[in-house]
Amino acid sequence: MNNFSLTRNAFGKLVFSSDDGIHEGVVPVRAFPIAAPDTGIALVDADGHELAWIERLADLPPATRSLLEEELKSREFLPEIKRIIDVSTFAVPSTWKVETDRGSASFVLKGEEDIRRVAESTLLIADSHGVQFLVRDTQALDKASKKILDRFL
């Protein structure tokens, strides 16, 4: 088990406390943010030095885990596509209307090369502004979404 505690200071920054001292402005960093988001998380100080390594978020006390999850969510912007509602055309560029875990979104896909496979059924889709959208499991999408996506793969 990890021998440290995490709190927030008055300015909203994470404060790491252990036998080695107190560090303000600690940042959690996922080792594998897409493939294994809940395992392998480093806590680093403001200079980028690792203070602690967390094997699994589930091993942490609930309050610490909640604080870390909240911090990670605020730092990482990777909306996950749950459903593809519509695409303007099957040629590129095309405007996509999608439903994500963060609400409805619309983006422009410049080229088919902006859809990258990162695992067997996991995709990253970059919009024309460089925002990355995640499709965690193409097989979990509804039939209509899969049909649209297949036209681009």
Side-chain angles (χ1 to χ4, degrees), residues 122-135:
T122 304
L123 304 173
L124 273 180
I125 302 173
D127 76 0
S128 60
H129 300 290
V131 175
Q132 301 280 329
F133 290 83
L134 174 67
V135 178

Side-chain angles (χ1 to χ4, degrees), residues 6-7 9 12 22 25 29 42 47-48 52 54 59 62 88 93-94 101 110 113 136 146 149 151-152:
L6 281 178
T7 56
N9 66 15
I22 297 174
V29 180
D47 296 323
I54 300 161
D59 294 339
S88 61
S94 60
D101 60 338
K110 290 187 303 187
E113 66 276 4
R136 190 167 304 280
K146 283 192 257 190
L149 195 54
R151 301 280 300 263
F152 289 91

